[in-house]
């Protein structure tokens, strides 16, 4: 088989704003392996978090590169089997899941059934299981690009949003009167607000979003927060009100302001790093008043909750909530997100760098199609 050269967007692990395209000859398949052609995938601040925490959380290990100074950022999207040496996975089978920012990837499927498979490649055996599962998709890409765009962009983000909201409810909000969410204009943040807001009025805490002053007005228009404040308005918060802080920004300055202002802070839940360049380092981190930040790792929570209530029931609840969220986000009369397609290598690399630099509008859903055809 005459296969086209493979290409990967490699990211400098020491400076995630530096990238390069790397080409290579496709590796021959071993028995039991499949080659997946990457069709299209979403880009968001979630991918910036993967890059920023690439070493600390082993995200670089999913799709390792020959040059250890560079990594391949994981993305969520769609792929098709372009070559197979696995008896249960024919060429043409399409899947959704965790993919490389690349034209192809070789996997070793296990636990294959009609619903999908798990990548059993040796280097992934010690990595979080939810990232290794792939879901079978019906139809061809051109049959439902719009639907697949919403799924690629929102499914991984809203799964995290749902798990956080569900966990906070199980913890009775840590006794807090207010849930304070930073980076409130981001899709994960307003997904949390949506999931929390599904509760009956009076049975949930107040939901307050924190965002940059430039995004306050547009974030208010989402209609998902009880209040929205700019980062420059943190000092207007009632210092005696009990608060849970859900931090998606990762900004050391914002965290310090929240801890200093909110004497009633009950819990600090660290989730993401949309402000990756303002994230604290070991030399900058000092003692803060109130509770220490506790990192929330969605795949671990998913596994804990699946063990508690059963994976099928948990996924049913997530899927049901996701359907409602997608309907709200895509409401033709007041859409919260507009999908923008970036086709070809140059456009794909530019879209990634715009995301890293924070130049992507909160209302934009960036989709990448590496093929220019």
């Amino acid at each position: 088989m005459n296969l086209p050269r493979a290409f990967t967007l490699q990211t400098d692990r020491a400076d995630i704003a530096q990238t390069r395209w790397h080409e290579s000859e496709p590796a021959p398949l071993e028995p039991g392996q499949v080659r997946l052609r990457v069709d299209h995938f979403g880009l968001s601040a979630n991918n910036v978090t993967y890059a920023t925490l690439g070493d600390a959380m082993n995200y670089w290990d999913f799709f390792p590169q020959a040059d250890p100074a560079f990594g391949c950022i994981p993305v969520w999207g769609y792929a098709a089997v372009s070559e197979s040496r696995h008896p249960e996975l024919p060429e043409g089978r399409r899947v959704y899941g965790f993919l490389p920012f690349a034209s192809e990837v070789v996997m070793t499927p296990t636990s294959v059934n009609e619903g999908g498979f798990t990548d059993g490649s040796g280097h992934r055996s010690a990595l979080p299981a939810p990232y290794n599962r792939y879901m079978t998709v019906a139809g061809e890409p051109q049959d439902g690009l719009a639907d697949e765009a919403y799924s690629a962009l929102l499914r991984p983000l809203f799964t995290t949003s749902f798990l956080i909201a569900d966990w906070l409810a199980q913890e009775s909000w840590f006794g807090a009167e207010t849930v304070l969410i930073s980076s409130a204009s981001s899709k994960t943040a307003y997904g949390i607000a949506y999931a929390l807001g599904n509760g009956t009025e009076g049975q949930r805490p107040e939901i307050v979003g924190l965002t940059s002053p430039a995004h306050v007005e547009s974030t208010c228009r989402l209609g998902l927060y009880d209040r929205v404040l700019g980062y420059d308005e943190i000092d207007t918060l009632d210092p005696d009100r009990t608060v849970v802080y859900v931090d998606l920004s990762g900004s050391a300055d914002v965290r310090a302001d929240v801890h200093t202002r909110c004497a009633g802070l009950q819990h600090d839940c660290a989730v993401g790093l949309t402000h990756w360049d303002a994230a604290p380092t070991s030399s900058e981190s000092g003692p803060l008043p109130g509770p220490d930040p506790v990192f929330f790792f969605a795949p671990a929570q998913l596994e804990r909750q699946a063990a508690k209530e059963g994976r099928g029931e948990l996924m049913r609840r997530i899927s049901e909530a996701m359907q409602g969220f997608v309907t709200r986000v895509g409401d033709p009369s007041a859409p919260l997100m507009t999908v923008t397609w970036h086709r070809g290598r140059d456009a794909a690399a530019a879209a990634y760098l715009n995301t890293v630099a924070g130049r992507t509008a909160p209302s934009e859903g960036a989709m990448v199609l590496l093929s220019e055809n």
Side-chain angles (χ1 to χ4, degrees):
M1 181 181 292
N2 187 19
L3 297 172
R5 288 174 64 82
F7 54 88
T8 301
L9 185 73
Q10 294 186 330
T11 301
D12 188 330
R13 293 169 62 159
D15 181 358
I16 65 169
Q18 301 298 318
T19 64
R20 69 184 187 187
W21 285 105
H22 175 73
E23 292 195 10
S24 60
E25 293 297 329
L29 297 184
E30 300 291 336
Q33 291 185 323
V34 296
R35 190 185 315 280
L36 295 178
R37 181 196 69 245
V38 177
D39 285 340
H40 45 264
F41 54 83
L43 274 181
S44 71
N46 198 36
N47 304 99
V48 177
T49 297
Y50 293 153
T52 305
L53 299 178
D55 289 311
M57 301 299 296
N58 302 317
Y59 284 114
W60 298 129
D61 294 349
F62 283 93
F63 308 109
Q65 302 299 296
D67 184 343
F70 286 82
C72 178
I73 291 176
V75 295
W76 290 91
Y78 292 82
V81 177
S82 60
E83 182 186 4
S84 178
R85 294 193 66 186
H86 194 292
E88 298 176 84
L89 285 171
E91 293 180 12
R93 177 73 59 86
R94 298 187 68 236
V95 297
Y96 167 86
F98 208 51
L99 300 167
F101 199 130
S103 61
E104 67 166 52
V105 61
V106 172
M107 295 185 180
T108 306
T110 60
S111 304
V112 180
N113 56 43
E114 291 184 0
F117 64 82
T118 295
D119 184 8
S121 299
H123 71 279
R124 295 180 68 163
S125 61
L127 297 172
Y131 291 125
N132 294 337
R133 297 193 181 101
Y134 293 82
M135 181 176 68
T136 299
V137 178
E140 295 300 317
Q142 61 271 21
D143 295 338
L145 273 182
D147 291 340
E148 291 190 354
Y150 274 97
S151 184
L153 287 163
L154 296 178
R155 183 187 294 272
L157 303 180
F158 186 73
T159 298
T160 296
S161 301
F162 178 92
L163 290 169
I164 291 169
D166 191 55
W167 169 71
L168 288 174
Q170 290 178 40
E171 297 292 335
S172 301
W173 327 108
F174 292 89
E177 301 165 280
T178 295
V179 174
L180 189 64
I181 308 173
S182 66
S183 197
S185 65
S186 72
K187 298 171 187 66
T188 303
Y190 67 70
I192 297 170
Y194 172 86
L196 290 173
N198 279 344
T200 304
E201 191 69 29
Q203 294 183 329
R204 62 162 176 83
E206 177 190 36
I207 306 168
V208 178
L210 288 177
T211 189
S212 64
H215 292 154
V216 168
E217 185 177 348
S218 60
T219 305
C220 283
R221 287 200 299 268
L222 295 174
L224 297 174
Y225 297 95
D226 296 315
R227 284 192 293 153
V228 178
L229 301 175
Y231 292 126
D232 57 348
E233 298 177 295
I234 290 175
D235 61 0
T236 67
L237 289 166
D238 182 346
D240 297 321
R241 193 170 175 85
T242 51
V243 171
V244 166
Y245 179 42
V246 182
D247 181 22
L248 279 84
S249 74
S251 167
D253 290 341
V254 173
R255 170 173 280 129
D257 287 347
V258 169
H259 276 252
T260 301
R261 178 64 180 178
C262 299
L265 185 64
Q266 305 297 298
H267 186 82
D268 181 339
C269 175
V271 183
L273 292 168
T274 58
H275 297 181
W276 64 275
D277 52 349
T281 66
S282 57
S283 61
E284 294 169 340
S285 300
L288 293 171
D292 291 335
V294 177
F295 186 72
F296 183 92
F297 188 50
Q301 176 62 18
L302 190 150
E303 292 301 293
R304 285 192 295 266
Q305 195 60 28
K308 179 190 288 187
E309 65 179 277
R311 185 173 300 278
E313 173 59 17
L314 175 61
M315 299 314 293
R316 184 200 64 77
R317 291 201 299 123
I318 293 174
S319 179
E320 184 178 283
M322 167 87 176
Q323 288 175 12
F325 183 60
V326 169
T327 299
R328 176 67 186 88
V329 171
D331 181 355
S333 64
L336 305 187
M337 181 183 75
T338 301
V339 175
T340 303
W341 287 90
H342 304 268
R343 299 173 183 269
R345 294 194 217 180
D346 291 345
Y352 166 73
L353 293 176
N354 283 336
T355 304
V356 169
R359 292 191 292 265
T360 303
S363 59
E364 178 186 340
M367 284 294 296
V368 169
L369 185 64
L370 290 178
S371 172
E372 297 182 1
N373 298 327

